Amino acid sequence: MSKKWSISIPASTANLGPGFDSIGIALDKYLELEVELAVEWKIDNLSENLPIVPNPQDHLIVQAAQKTAQMHGLILPACHVKASSEIPLARGMGSSASAIVAGIELANQVLALELSSHDKLKVATLMEGHPDNAAASIFGGFTISSSAENGEIHVFHAYHIDASFVLFIPNFELKTEAARNVLPESYTRKVSAQASATANLLTAAFLSQSFEQAGIYMEQDLFHEPYRLDLIPQSREIKAQAKKAGAFGTCISGAGPTLLSLVQKGTEEEFVSKLNGIFPDFDLVPVTINRTGIVVSKNKKGSAILVH
Ligand code: HSE
């Protein structure tokens, strides 16, 4: 029987304001791969939202898969990959983390590596430089992670949080590297103590599902938002209008340029209708939290397996 795998990886939002490079939430938008062994590498794009990469060896999915194989002293056989994606590129919805996690899972399946979720997060963090998006894509749900200078990774995940979000997805891109380049190299003790206190409060508010409070802390970040908001045209107006339309809080999703509003469950459509048309460069998209993380099914007929 020829071997085939279907791999589904959720999108993610990161930071949630003050949880810079640490907090992530998996979202119900997906990168999906159909994989089978082949004579040479081939990647077919079956949807929009995928990069056009003439040489498969330059493709992030293949690079992540090969790095995973290499780290285990193995050579990855060539595969034919059919990809489709609902995650727009360079918008702050974790498209590159999803591609990296997809590549790691591809290698895990094809080489039967039996990697733990923690192992996958280690490889993804090596490639991305920060674990927040990848942790959410791997585990699903709400994740808190950290990566230390010595390579040690810590991660906590929670699945009970029943929050509702609306994304403001712009029709323009912002590369993460450009959005990281505007950040300061260091912060004073006063600023870092305040910023970390706000992040602690945000975490406690989410974990206890106190969304009104979470919305307040989402808007009080000192680590990155003050430096990035000006890279996103209309971001300040969107934050103000979203509040008037009933959002608990609005922050930059990941490195931007998408913005994310936390809203009362059940009010998503009403919220969108209040703001529709005001920001023509932005699509307003309600999203829910994905709670599965990576899902793999084998040989099509096989049932889906949650692999974290
Ligand atoms: N934590 C990252 C950042 C997320 O804000 O730069 C984007 O990859």
Side-chain angles (χ1 to χ4, degrees):
M1 185 166 44
S2 79
K3 283 198 175 169
K4 283 189 182 180
W5 299 266
S6 303
I7 298 173
S8 172
I9 311 291
S12 58
T13 184
N15 302 331
L16 277 299
F20 181 65
D21 278 359
S22 176
I23 294 181
I25 295 183
L27 302 175
D28 65 342
K29 300 275 172 217
Y30 299 91
L31 168 64
E32 293 186 317
L33 307 186
E34 294 286 332
V35 181
E36 58 186 323
L37 298 177
V39 177
E40 58 183 33
W41 278 99
K42 185 166 182 241
I43 303 204
D44 287 332
N45 288 350
L46 304 187
S47 74
E48 293 179 1
N49 302 319
L50 290 161
I52 295 167
V53 183
N55 179 355
Q57 298 301 326
D58 297 332
H59 201 292
L60 196 50
I61 293 174
V62 178
Q63 289 178 343
Q66 286 177 336
K67 183 160 184 82
T68 308
Q70 239 174 39
M71 286 172 66
H72 292 83
L74 297 169
I75 293 173
L76 188 68
C79 296
H80 180 194
V81 178
K82 293 179 189 158
S84 51
S85 178
E86 300 173 323
I87 314 171
L89 299 170
R91 297 298 206 291
M93 293 169 63
S95 61
S96 53
S98 301
I100 289 170
V101 171
I104 294 168
E105 190 57 50
L106 185 157
N108 185 39
Q109 294 299 325
V110 170
L111 297 170
L113 296 175
E114 301 194 2
L115 299 180
S116 68
S117 297
H118 202 267
D119 295 333
K120 294 174 203 172
L121 186 55
K122 268 196 162 174
V123 184
T125 305
L126 266 179
M127 293 190 70
E128 274 246 294
H130 43 89
D132 44 353
N133 289 99
S137 283
I138 292 169
F139 289 93
F142 177 93
T143 53
I144 307 168
S145 51
S146 83
S147 71
E149 295 260 315
N150 65 4
E152 213 175 275
I153 309 263
H154 293 271
V155 63
F156 172 94
H157 42 90
Y159 298 109
H160 67 282
I161 296 169
D162 198 12
S164 282
F165 298 99
V166 173
L167 297 171
F168 294 75
I169 307 175
N171 56 16
F172 51 86
E173 297 186 352
L174 174 59
K175 296 266 192 263
T176 298
E177 196 187 342
R180 289 182 87 82
N181 282 344
V182 300
L183 304 182
E185 273 304 312
S186 58
Y187 302 87
T188 62
R189 184 172 65 190
K190 193 171 168 209
V191 168
S192 32
Q194 182 60 51
S196 107
T198 310
N200 298 339
L201 286 164
L202 178 89
T203 308
F206 265 112
L207 290 176
S208 60
Q209 304 208 78
S210 309
F211 298 130
E212 202 168 335
Q213 270 176 287
I216 295 170
Y217 310 133
M218 270 170 76
E219 296 200 344
Q220 291 183 353
D221 168 57
L222 296 173
F223 286 124
H224 74 113
E225 282 221 5
Y227 310 97
R228 286 174 164 170
L229 281 173
D230 289 334
L231 300 176
I232 308 169
Q234 295 193 294
S235 56
R236 292 177 202 278
E237 294 95 302
I238 289 173
K239 288 182 74 152
Q241 290 294 332
K243 178 124 294 168
K244 278 193 200 158
F248 293 134
T250 301
C251 63
I252 298 174
S253 177
T258 291
L259 296 163
L260 173 93
S261 283
L262 173 63
V263 302
Q264 175 86 52
K265 201 173 173 62
T267 67
E268 303 85 347
E269 295 304 332
E270 186 192 339
F271 178 81
V272 169
S273 70
K274 281 186 189 163
L275 295 173
N276 241 347
I278 302 184
F279 301 104
D281 291 338
F282 292 78
D283 267 346
L284 276 65
V285 181
V287 277
T288 55
I289 299 180
N290 161 282
R291 291 185 171 77
T292 60
I294 302 171
V295 174
V296 177
S297 57
K298 298 180 187 177
N299 287 320
K300 284 231 149 166
K301 284 186 203 140
S303 52
I305 307 169
L306 307 187
V307 293
H308 58 76

